[in-house]
Amino acid sequence: MWALRAAVRPRFRLFPLCCSRTAPRAPAPSFPARGLAAVGRGGPGNLEGPWGRGRGLRADGGRSCAGDDEEEPEDADEDAEEELLQREPLLPAGTQRVCLVHPDVKWGPRKPQMTRAEWQVAEATALVHTLDGWSVVQTMVVSTKSPDKKLVFGKGNFEHLTERIRRSPDITCVFLNVERMAAPTKKELEAAWGVEVFDRFTVVLHIFRCNARTKEARLQVALAEIPLLRSNLKRDVAHLHRGGSGSRYIMGSGESFMQVQQRLLKEKEAKIRKALDGLRKKRHVLRRQRTRREFPVVSMVGYTNCGKTTLIKALTGDTALQPRDRLFATLDVTAHAGTLPSRLTVLYVDTIGFLSQLPHGLIESFAATLEDVAHSDLIVHVRDVSHPEAELQKASVVATLRGLRLPAPLLDSMLEVHNKVDLVPGYHPTEPNVVPVSALLGHGLQELKAELDAAVLKATGRQVLTLRVRLAGAQLSWLHQEATVQQVDVIPEDGAADVRVVISHSAYGKFRKLFPG
């Protein structure tokens, strides 16, 4: 076992499973000079043990002996979690001039429905522009019958595409607008085009990583990254062997480099899942506290950049919220208190935005974050009606929500809000039971609050009652604490008051039990 651990010491150069900011990197693949100048980073790099500075491991990579056990500090778990989040960038840093290549499937079962190539290109372009310093300098829409084959395109189209890319010195990398590339495909394309090639999964995952703020969101991104690391494992180890580095087996341990890397990845995945389970339990505690205080929860869902955060800010007046006009600006679930016309306090939950063709692995990784939606009292589907693919975006969001297996009553009572109507002159919704608003300009907010008020009261079973209470007792103060008091009409001669309240069935039952008669 000691020999096995020695294999992951810093001086042994393997490929990156985690971020090592100071260790030197191995030589990069042989790309032309124009590609290397823009990449600005090494290729396979090196591996330091993913938990080389974490719990139970010495700085040299060896594991502490049984007799050396010491009491762990209270923040040891947090240090271990932070260690899991240290890893190499998925995309090169600095300015990048991107050639966007979109495979256009015009017939057959792989043809996209309800969309057109120019709209898919526009969304892919928006993804690229979300990255700091990245810009699209060329866009190529190329027909293909079988986008899942090794070179994606037919022989003629591929040769023409290769010639155009190689004759364009301003291109520093290629964004191939497919969900995932197999490792052999990536290798072949980079060899043919002479620059790095990225797929939709890698670009979106990198955006997620850049925008994640809380530890839970960052761990979710790290978990989603595991399949990508696993798929690149064989290619990187093969590159290492071709360079003549090291033996096939590690110091007589009987494990090959590949087996060691696979085991380390499996251990890392288990540690990330364990950390997420701990954070999930904390979130359950907070959810129980909200339930105990009976705050209604309204979850805002919608396509990315539809204006959810802007709408929550308009409804709550929370000046701390700073909406950004970019894709996936919100990756962390946050709750913001607001007051409805009935004076009822509700919590608006801001959630991660959806995306068409979002890689399935990312949806699975963020399922734990989205589970807060299942525990809400009302879902509000915010739509950007100014977008040319508004209907496709709606279908994508609804399909994802149904995939989360939400309770049928919660889906059936979902309120639809048409946002950004100020960008569509003379807009009038054709669907029934929708509320048109402009969250940015404040149009339609009062109508929306009234709809939210009625929907929340119905969903939570709250009722509006007028109760006669004694002024000398504790009834009035109890109602202020456990219900929403709308109005108090004092009757001095009787030493009482008529109090109009919004109260839940359970709170009303407690009131009758505490104050009979």
Side-chain angles (χ1 to χ4, degrees):
M1 189 64 181
W2 177 259
L4 196 58
R5 287 293 169 185
V8 296
R9 293 179 184 177
R11 66 174 178 268
F12 285 85
R13 303 302 182 213
L14 304 183
F15 69 94
L17 292 185
C18 65
C19 180
S20 176
R21 297 183 180 178
T22 58
R25 298 176 177 132
S30 56
F31 295 141
R34 63 186 175 92
L36 289 176
V39 170
R41 67 184 178 105
N46 70 293
L47 168 67
E48 293 186 4
W51 310 284
R53 299 187 301 278
R55 299 175 58 186
L57 292 177
R58 296 204 296 264
D60 63 356
R63 187 176 296 277
S64 301
C65 298
D68 297 333
D69 289 344
E70 298 180 359
E71 185 177 352
E72 296 286 352
E74 292 182 359
D75 60 349
D77 287 340
E78 292 188 5
D79 292 341
E81 290 171 6
E82 286 297 330
E83 194 72 25
L84 292 171
L85 297 172
Q86 297 180 15
R87 51 205 188 275
E88 290 284 352
L90 291 169
L91 299 177
T95 301
Q96 297 296 321
R97 298 179 298 278
V98 182
C99 175
L100 173 57
V101 178
H102 176 72
D104 186 18
V105 184
K106 295 185 176 181
W107 55 84
R110 301 295 299 273
K111 175 178 170 59
Q113 303 298 317
M114 300 175 60
T115 186
R116 298 204 300 263
E118 56 264 34
W119 293 342
Q120 294 176 286
V121 168
E123 184 169 88
T125 302
L127 286 172
V128 172
H129 289 164
T130 301
L131 303 170
D132 292 337
W134 287 51
S135 60
V136 176
V137 294
Q138 287 195 44
T139 300
M140 304 180 188
V141 179
V142 185
S143 298
T144 181
K145 295 180 181 179
S146 305
D148 53 346
K149 62 184 180 182
K150 189 173 183 179
L151 294 180
V152 183
F153 306 99
K155 183 178 179 180
N157 282 340
F158 181 75
E159 291 177 352
H160 178 66
L161 183 59
T162 299
E163 182 182 2
R164 288 185 62 185
I165 293 175
R166 283 196 167 272
R167 288 172 54 186
S168 302
D170 56 330
I171 295 174
T172 61
C173 64
V174 172
F175 175 23
L176 184 63
N177 194 26
V178 297
E179 181 178 322
R180 288 290 297 272
M181 281 187 299
T185 297
K186 179 178 174 66
K187 176 184 175 182
E188 291 288 340
L189 294 181
E190 289 180 341
W193 296 343
V195 293
E196 287 197 86
V197 183
F198 305 104
D199 56 22
R200 194 177 179 92
F201 179 85
T202 306
V203 171
V204 173
L205 185 60
H206 184 83
I207 295 171
F208 277 17
R209 185 195 280 187
C210 292
N211 288 352
R213 295 292 180 267
T214 64
K215 184 174 293 184
E216 182 174 21
R218 293 165 65 203
L219 285 169
Q220 293 284 7
V221 172
L223 181 61
E225 189 178 333
I226 294 294
L228 183 64
L229 295 174
R230 191 170 282 129
S231 67
N232 291 337
L233 178 60
K234 184 177 296 185
R235 181 197 65 186
D236 289 339
V237 172
H239 175 80
L240 180 71
H241 289 321
R242 284 197 303 272
S245 301
S247 170
R248 177 178 176 83
Y249 295 94
I250 299 180
M251 301 181 67
S253 68
E255 277 191 305
S256 67
F257 283 113
M258 172 73 76
Q259 291 169 334
V260 170
Q261 303 299 339
Q262 289 174 334
R263 178 172 52 76
L264 291 177
L265 266 181
K266 187 175 181 180
E267 290 177 5
K268 181 176 182 178
E269 182 177 9
K271 286 178 176 288
I272 293 174
R273 291 188 184 278
K274 182 178 179 181
L276 284 171
D277 286 340
L279 293 173
R280 190 175 298 118
K281 290 177 182 178
K282 293 179 182 179
R283 196 169 64 249
H284 287 170
V285 172
L286 294 174
R287 189 183 298 128
R288 284 198 299 270
Q289 292 175 349
R290 290 202 304 260
T291 303
R292 190 159 52 244
R293 298 193 66 179
E294 296 189 329
F295 286 137
V297 177
V298 178
S299 290
M300 297 287 190
V301 303
Y303 208 80
T304 182
N305 206 31
C306 69
K308 300 185 302 296
T309 305
T310 303
L311 182 58
I312 292 176
K313 182 175 183 178
L315 291 171
T316 63
D318 188 348
T319 56
L321 280 170
Q322 297 298 327
R324 291 177 292 168
D325 185 15
R326 63 190 304 177
L327 303 183
F328 300 116
T330 299
L331 289 183
D332 306 302
V333 174
T334 56
H336 309 269
T339 304
L340 296 176
S342 63
R343 298 187 182 180
L344 184 66
T345 299
V346 298
L347 294 179
Y348 294 104
V349 175
D350 199 0
T351 63
I352 180 176
F354 297 99
L355 183 75
S356 66
Q357 302 177 31
L358 185 66
H360 189 65
L362 291 179
I363 287 291
E364 289 181 343
S365 295
F366 279 85
T369 303
L370 293 171
E371 74 180 13
D372 281 308
V373 177
H375 296 275
S376 58
D377 297 293
L378 179 68
I379 296 177
V380 175
H381 179 190
V382 184
R383 296 179 56 192
D384 175 5
V385 294
S386 69
H387 197 280
E389 288 197 298
E391 290 301 320
L392 178 63
Q393 292 183 352
K394 175 181 178 179
S396 177
V397 171
V398 171
T400 303
L401 291 176
R402 294 193 185 281
L404 294 175
R405 299 179 181 178
L406 301 177
L410 188 60
L411 283 176
D412 294 340
S413 63
M414 185 164 56
L415 180 63
E416 188 171 308
V417 175
H418 290 186
N419 191 25
K420 304 187 184 182
V421 296
D422 55 299
L423 301 179
V424 187
Y427 178 79
H428 295 286
T430 57
E431 302 96 326
N433 303 319
V434 301
V435 183
V437 303
S438 170
L440 187 62
L441 301 182
H443 298 163
L445 292 184
Q446 296 307 315
E447 292 81 357
L448 175 57
K449 287 182 179 181
E451 291 287 341
L452 287 171
D453 210 347
V456 167
L457 291 177
K458 181 179 179 181
T460 59
R462 281 171 167 78
Q463 51 191 328
V464 180
L465 300 175
T466 300
L467 305 174
R468 176 72 58 95
V469 302
R470 300 177 184 275
L471 294 176
Q475 293 171 304
L476 184 57
S477 61
W478 189 94
L479 288 174
H480 274 290
Q481 183 175 353
E482 301 294 335
T484 300
V485 176
Q486 291 184 324
Q487 185 175 335
V488 178
D489 294 324
V490 178
I491 309 173
E493 59 272 17
D494 293 340
D498 288 334
V499 184
R500 189 170 69 186
V501 296
V502 179
I503 191 168
S504 67
H505 289 300
S506 60
Y508 184 58
K510 292 178 185 177
F511 178 80
R512 283 303 181 196
K513 185 176 181 179
L514 290 172
F515 309 105

